[in-house]
Amino acid sequence: MPLLEVKNLHVEIGGKKILNGLDLTVDKGQVHAIMGPNGSGKSTLSYVLAGKADYEITEGEVLFNGENIADMEPDERAAKGLFLAFQYPIEIPGVATMTFLRTAVNAQRKARGEGELSTPEFMKQVREAAGELGISQEMLRRAVNVGFSGGEKKRNEILQMAMLQPRLAVLDETDSGLDIDALKIVSDGVNRLRSPERSFIVITHYQRLLDYIVPDVVHVLSKGRIVRSGGKELALELEEKGYAQYVGEAA
Amino acid sequence: MDFGFAPVARPGMTSWDMAELKLIKTAAEEGLAEAFAGARATLPGAAAVKSLRDNAFRIFEIKGLPHRRIEEWKYTDLRALMRDAKPLAAPPDAAAKVKAKAAGALLSAVGARRVVIVDGAFVPELSDLAALEKGLTIVSLAEALVIADKALIDRLSRKALFSDDPAFALNTAMMSDGVVIRVAEGAQIARPIHLAFITTSVKPVSVFTRSLVTVGKGASLSVIESHESADGVDNQANHAIDVSVADDGRLDHVKIACEGDRALHVASLLADIGATAHLNTFTFTSAGAVTRNQIAMRLEGAQTHVGIRGATLLKGRQHADNTLVVDHAVGHCESRELFKSVLDGESRSVFQGKIIVEPHAQKTDAKMATHALLLSEDAEADAKPELEIFADDVVCGHGATAGALDDDLLFYLRARGIPLKEAEALMVEAFVGEAVEAVENESVREALMELARRWLKARA
């Protein structure tokens, strides 16, 4: 059974049609890249998967591990192992990063019927994961994303992913706003989490990220549909030729 | 700088009423007049105090219970809210004293010196008065009123920001007891004093207390007030605390209202502050049917800093009003005000903040902010900042916001697996925490956050 199956998905927001019969199948352990021009529906796909309100599914279905998740709350989806790394991580004034991580980890464990993580065990895991991402203890004490640079915010997303150990992670333009060093730190963080049991959907404009996070499958999204799929060489072709042909084709 | 108003004919008066040639009194006003007449002979105090009480009651009689036409009471119409006047609480008997033993238990971790006021009477045998620090004295107000030395009479009769306020005047007329705390010049009292007020009666009563806190030159003190009473009893409490901080002095003050769910609670804090002094006060309100906190401070010496902050968490049909007046009588002082309210159900919070900068008070730095978080469509937040600036070289600012929790923020938290109620609770705690963090004492901060968490738990 595939980990994620999106079948003929049609999505509207405020009466405007964004996704237009999207099909996507992601198997366990795979990394899929979704590329496409601005406005093709990449971020909408990520929000629909995570369960953001206001995105209305008018047709089709989304099966996660064989289960239809269309009516599930965002927190239920998260507890089932779905993770979205936000393109624009939100600032949470007054909530320390450490508190936030702990609340999230324990909420998910509780939803899955597991006991809370002990303080020493939690601290050990955070220290390890933060260390690998170059996130200081001082940053962990600060309010979530408040006063963080663009790169720090993205690293913080990967830290959350490392702590929550999802089955499917959707990375929404995680490379945007990163310089080459930060890109490498973030990519290394993602690669460390790759496993036969965990899948990734990497949404990006640029081929550059895919030099670091090497995908199994590359899709081209245009006008709300996947218009072409191929191996990692497709990304190189897109880099060379641009999206012009797809923008025309799907119209 | 008058906090009062000119007497006018009341709304709702008809020509028939006028024909009686006197102002119509409400049942509550009549009840208060009877209560005063009945208690006048037995209320504590020497002759000078009696005349003080008579004068104060006259002010109240002229003004009556404050109502919505009175600007300072615009949103808290006591005349409409008080249907009647509850009988004065009797002095606590043995059973009341037993009940009062647990008063203020929430603050036990603070390790404060506990002073207990039961049904409006200071109860020494429940209070921790052993081994008072050098320079610290604590006596009952009732005793002080009987002795009535000149300093006390001068203080009680001085012209102050609340002199013409009807609720404060009523407190002066009816005050039964309270505590008089004095810290001598230079004495640093490290251990906080916890004034634990409790109303034990299961039948509705009214309580009037007045406490005086004097912090001498260069002295420092921390005072925490807690107020509690039983649910289901529509008590009427009118408490006042009159504070004086001399030059170089410091006072940290926290007031926590944990009254029963039907209580009407009116509290006045009056403060005069000298030069290079510090006064920080924090007001926490999460219980009671109707709460009015009124704070008036007069900054009389340069280089002084005052912080007036508070948090209010309401649900159901609760109503809480924080009304502040900060009078910068001299220049080069700093005042900071921050009030946060979290409102659920059909509750309503009111913030009125007046900053007065007198003509010579140059280089005043005054900032005021109030923020309301509305958790329900039917909750209401009223904010009224007022700046009266008569000097031309000052920095004064105010800001007010009211709104719901941010949807994008909630989505972010939920996308991490945190359920809606828990995500809301996390946000509310953070919101309240921003105000609470200004409280100096860590155990007190923790007690306040625990109260906020309890409120959130009761909501979930």
Side-chain angles (χ1 to χ4, degrees):
Chain A
M1 184 174 51
L3 182 64
L4 178 75
E5 256 186 300
V6 179
K7 293 182 191 167
N8 188 33
L9 190 65
H10 292 254
V11 171
E12 287 181 8
I13 175 162
K16 191 172 180 256
K17 201 151 191 188
I18 311 275
L19 296 186
N20 214 342
L22 185 138
D23 291 295
L24 176 67
T25 301
V26 179
D27 286 324
K28 264 185 201 160
Q30 285 189 328
V31 175
H32 286 232
I34 295 184
M35 305 181 72
N38 287 326
S40 57
K42 299 191 300 292
S43 282
T44 295
L45 175 63
S46 71
Y47 283 145
V48 169
L49 291 176
K52 193 168 200 234
D54 305 333
Y55 289 79
E56 195 196 344
I57 298 179
T58 53
E59 212 183 322
E61 57 182 358
V62 181
L63 302 179
F64 183 59
N65 219 24
E67 204 175 356
N68 192 340
I69 59 168
D71 292 329
M72 281 185 197
E73 297 294 333
D75 46 287
E76 291 175 73
R77 300 179 194 208
K80 286 190 183 290
L82 211 147
F83 179 88
L84 168 64
F86 282 59
Q87 183 181 358
Y88 303 108
I90 310 278
E91 299 185 2
I92 315 180
V95 180
T97 304
M98 195 72 106
T99 310
F100 172 62
L101 285 170
R102 188 162 186 173
T103 309
V105 167
N106 283 329
Q108 291 203 13
R109 291 179 68 96
K110 193 176 161 198
R112 292 193 294 261
E114 300 161 14
E116 286 197 358
L117 219 51
S118 71
T119 302
E121 180 55 28
F122 171 80
M123 294 302 286
K124 182 174 155 264
Q125 287 187 18
V126 175
R127 255 199 296 274
E128 234 172 70
E132 281 168 343
L133 290 162
I135 293 174
S136 67
Q137 293 296 306
E138 193 266 315
M139 253 175 85
L140 293 173
R141 280 193 293 272
R142 268 153 61 187
V144 181
N145 294 329
V146 176
F148 286 22
S149 71
E152 286 172 333
K153 284 181 183 174
K154 296 298 173 83
R155 273 188 279 157
N156 195 18
E157 292 292 289
I158 304 305
L159 171 65
Q160 293 168 40
M161 180 168 76
M163 290 303 296
L164 294 168
Q165 298 274 321
R167 303 169 77 171
L168 173 67
V170 181
L171 311 180
D172 188 4
E173 301 203 19
T174 296
D175 51 339
S176 68
L178 292 188
D179 61 29
I180 199 77
D181 295 327
L183 186 67
K184 194 156 180 336
I185 293 172
V186 164
S187 308
D188 288 348
V190 172
N191 288 329
R192 269 194 299 275
L193 288 167
R194 286 183 75 158
S195 91
E197 292 300 313
R198 184 172 292 126
S199 311
F200 292 86
I201 295 175
V202 180
I203 293 173
T204 180
H205 266 297
Y206 304 106
Q207 188 271 335
R208 189 180 66 161
L209 175 68
L210 304 180
D211 285 342
Y212 298 97
I213 305 173
V214 181
D216 299 299
V217 187
V218 175
H219 306 277
V220 180
L221 184 65
S222 177
K223 305 257 164 103
R225 288 194 310 137
I226 303 265
V227 293
R228 194 172 162 200
S229 301
K232 61 184 178 208
E233 64 288 347
L234 178 56
L236 292 166
E237 187 192 312
L238 288 168
E239 182 79 359
E240 202 179 310
K241 296 186 180 163
Y243 295 114
Q245 54 167 319
Y246 302 105
V247 176
E249 191 179 283
Chain B
M1 310 319 149
D2 198 332
F3 196 66
F5 68 106
V8 290
R10 308 272 177 66
M13 268 174 64
T14 64
S15 53
W16 187 83
D17 293 332
M18 295 295 265
E20 288 197 324
L21 292 175
K22 64 169 191 145
L23 294 174
I24 284 293
K25 282 190 178 135
T26 65
E29 287 163 349
E30 274 175 4
L32 286 163
E34 275 167 35
F36 181 65
R40 194 177 165 278
T42 48
L43 281 166
V49 174
K50 294 220 184 296
S51 95
L52 208 82
R53 290 183 188 278
D54 289 343
N55 289 339
F57 199 79
R58 210 161 297 134
I59 292 173
F60 173 74
E61 266 194 319
I62 293 167
K63 309 214 162 185
L65 282 167
H67 51 82
R68 64 195 164 84
R69 302 278 176 103
I70 310 304
E71 194 56 31
E72 292 79 11
W73 289 83
K74 184 179 165 77
Y75 301 98
T76 302
D77 187 332
L78 272 194
R79 208 164 57 126
L81 289 163
M82 279 178 70
R83 298 261 160 123
D84 54 10
K86 306 302 178 193
L88 291 176
D93 56 17
K97 287 176 188 172
V98 169
K99 275 193 202 172
K101 275 192 175 151
L106 175 86
L107 289 162
S108 56
V110 177
R113 179 185 291 285
R114 208 169 67 119
V115 174
V116 184
I117 297 101
V118 186
D119 299 331
F122 169 44
V123 181
E125 64 264 38
L126 290 178
S127 303
D128 177 4
L129 301 171
L132 289 182
E133 293 90 331
K134 192 168 180 293
L136 173 66
T137 57
I138 302 175
V139 297
S140 97
L141 178 83
E143 269 173 43
L145 292 174
V146 171
I147 298 164
D149 61 34
K150 186 177 178 299
L152 181 84
I153 297 300
D154 286 351
R155 180 151 174 188
L156 291 174
S157 56
R158 81 190 189 282
K159 179 80 182 156
L161 287 161
F162 281 149
S163 295
D164 292 322
D165 176 71
F168 190 77
L170 195 57
N171 183 282
T172 306
M174 309 280 264
M175 58 191 173
S176 57
D177 204 353
V179 285
V180 179
I181 300 171
R182 187 177 293 275
V183 183
E185 184 174 333
Q188 313 293 315
I189 309 300
R191 188 177 173 201
I193 294 175
H194 173 192
L195 303 180
F197 292 84
I198 182 167
T199 306
T200 61
S201 175
V202 290
K203 284 192 188 132
V205 291
S206 63
V207 171
F208 296 87
T209 75
R210 171 77 56 97
S211 296
L212 306 177
V213 176
T214 307
V215 178
K217 192 172 186 309
S220 75
L221 179 69
S222 166
V223 173
I224 308 150
E225 288 176 60
S226 66
H227 295 266
E228 59 199 283
S229 54
D231 277 343
V233 188
D234 49 345
N235 290 320
Q236 296 169 341
N238 182 329
H239 298 284
I241 179 164
D242 178 357
V243 162
S244 157
V245 182
D247 294 354
D248 305 314
R250 180 182 178 110
L251 176 69
D252 288 287
H253 171 253
V254 173
K255 171 180 176 277
I256 305 173
C258 301
E259 298 274 17
D261 57 4
R262 293 188 60 195
L264 169 73
H265 175 99
V266 176
S268 307
L269 166 63
L270 186 62
D272 294 342
I273 308 143
T276 49
H278 272 82
L279 197 165
N280 277 308
T281 179
F282 191 92
T283 304
F284 185 94
T285 306
S286 68
V290 175
T291 304
R292 158 84 170 194
N293 293 306
Q294 49 181 10
I295 298 176
M297 291 194 183
R298 190 173 149 88
L299 280 57
E300 298 172 328
Q303 308 294 345
T304 277
H305 175 96
V306 298
I308 309 175
R309 296 179 180 84
T312 301
L313 297 96
L314 304 177
K315 57 181 190 274
R317 299 183 61 99
Q318 282 179 294
H319 174 111
D321 175 335
N322 289 297
T323 292
L324 324 176
V325 183
V326 174
D327 178 3
H328 285 264
V330 297
H332 299 273
C333 288
E334 201 176 71
S335 62
R336 292 289 177 269
E337 298 170 18
L338 174 64
F339 274 78
K340 294 210 163 194
S341 51
V342 180
L343 307 171
D344 203 355
E346 295 165 62
S347 64
R348 187 184 196 195
S349 88
V350 175
F351 173 85
Q352 302 186 100
K354 184 187 279 190
I355 297 173
I356 302 163
V357 182
E358 295 192 20
H360 300 293
Q362 302 294 1
K363 304 288 180 194
T364 288
D365 178 351
K367 281 196 187 70
M368 163 165 66
T370 179
H371 304 292
L373 193 54
L374 304 165
L375 299 178
S376 120
E377 300 253 320
D378 299 319
E380 179 178 326
D382 299 291
K384 194 179 77 189
E386 294 170 274
L387 303 180
E388 291 182 0
I389 303 171
F390 301 103
D392 56 9
D393 185 11
V394 301
V395 180
C396 289
H398 67 86
T401 63
L405 284 171
D406 184 272
D407 282 336
D408 287 336
L409 231 159
L410 281 175
F411 174 61
Y412 188 66
L413 293 166
R414 298 182 73 193
R416 297 296 175 256
I418 303 171
L420 181 61
K421 286 280 176 193
E422 220 177 305
E424 285 181 350
L426 203 59
M427 296 316 308
V428 168
E429 254 193 77
F431 179 79
V432 171
E434 268 183 322
V436 171
E437 71 185 10
V439 172
E440 184 88 358
N441 185 307
E442 194 187 339
S443 327
V444 177
R445 275 202 308 273
E446 190 36 55
L448 292 172
M449 290 314 292
E450 177 55 29
L451 276 173
R453 282 190 287 271
R454 279 188 205 171
W455 184 87
L456 284 162
K457 215 172 259 175
R459 180 181 172 258

